[in-house]
Amino acid sequence: MSAPTAFRRRYGASPLHLLLVLASFALAVYAGLRLLQGDTLGVAVWFVGAALLHDLVLLPLYSVTDRAAQALFTRGPGPTPPVPRVSVNYVRVPAFVSGVLLLVWWPLVLRRVEHYTAATALPAGGFLGRWLLITAALFAASAVILVVRTRRWSRAQRQARSATK
């Protein structure tokens, strides 16, 4: 194996990929050092608390929720005609995006920031309504995509049955 082939297999398609990865690591180290210049103990406690919160509370919570959604959206064998196995991703994706938006904007969504208006000269109200609208739009778009794909599947099944007769 030649050196360029081994290089591409290990680091990606080009040296530019390696350069970008190294630059991103350098930026992460710089940001970490700047973050730790302030309250080092507070940052360490925050990281440990975030890891514990995720591993002990959030991971079991969304694992159980995912299992419940899988059980709800799948049909087992039985007398009913075969139905496509509906992907749980039609619920997962909008729920994930909505959760990330809530995680990023929760102080404003829950109106926990008193100094926001003074600092930005913008009203702090309305974030809850906007977040709810975005969440509803995400789930609605996911439902529309699910309906379109299910209809296409049904049409393809009917055509396949009529072709075999």
Side-chain angles (χ1 to χ4, degrees):
M1 180 179 328
S2 67
T5 305
F7 179 82
R8 284 194 177 122
R9 187 162 41 104
R10 179 168 282 183
Y11 295 110
S14 69
L16 178 63
H17 179 262
L18 174 62
L19 180 65
L20 291 174
V21 168
L22 292 176
S24 68
F25 282 139
L27 182 63
V29 167
Y30 171 75
L33 291 174
R34 291 290 306 252
L35 181 67
L36 292 174
Q37 283 179 354
D39 183 17
T40 306
L41 181 62
V43 171
V45 167
W46 187 87
F47 274 117
V48 170
L52 289 175
L53 175 71
H54 177 267
D55 292 348
L56 298 178
V57 177
L58 296 178
L59 181 65
L61 181 68
Y62 57 73
S63 295
V64 166
T65 306
D66 185 55
R67 294 287 180 167
Q70 286 180 9
L72 180 68
F73 289 121
T74 57
R75 284 193 187 172
T80 60
V83 174
R85 186 179 175 110
V86 176
S87 176
V88 182
N89 290 337
Y90 291 102
V91 175
R92 282 182 188 156
V93 171
F96 174 76
V97 173
S98 177
V100 168
L101 289 174
L102 180 62
L103 182 66
V104 170
W105 296 102
W106 73 269
L108 291 167
V109 170
L110 300 177
R111 297 182 184 168
R112 300 278 187 201
V113 181
E114 294 82 22
H115 63 279
Y116 180 78
T117 303
T120 63
L122 297 172
F127 281 92
L128 176 62
R130 290 181 195 136
W131 176 74
L132 290 172
L133 277 172
I134 290 170
T135 300
L138 288 168
F139 277 99
S142 184
V144 166
I145 293 169
L146 174 62
V147 166
V148 167
R149 288 189 177 171
T150 303
R151 285 191 180 180
R152 284 184 185 169
W153 181 85
S154 299
R155 190 177 314 131
Q157 290 296 316
R158 280 193 302 265
Q159 288 174 352
R161 273 189 240 132
S162 66
T164 59
K165 290 183 181 180

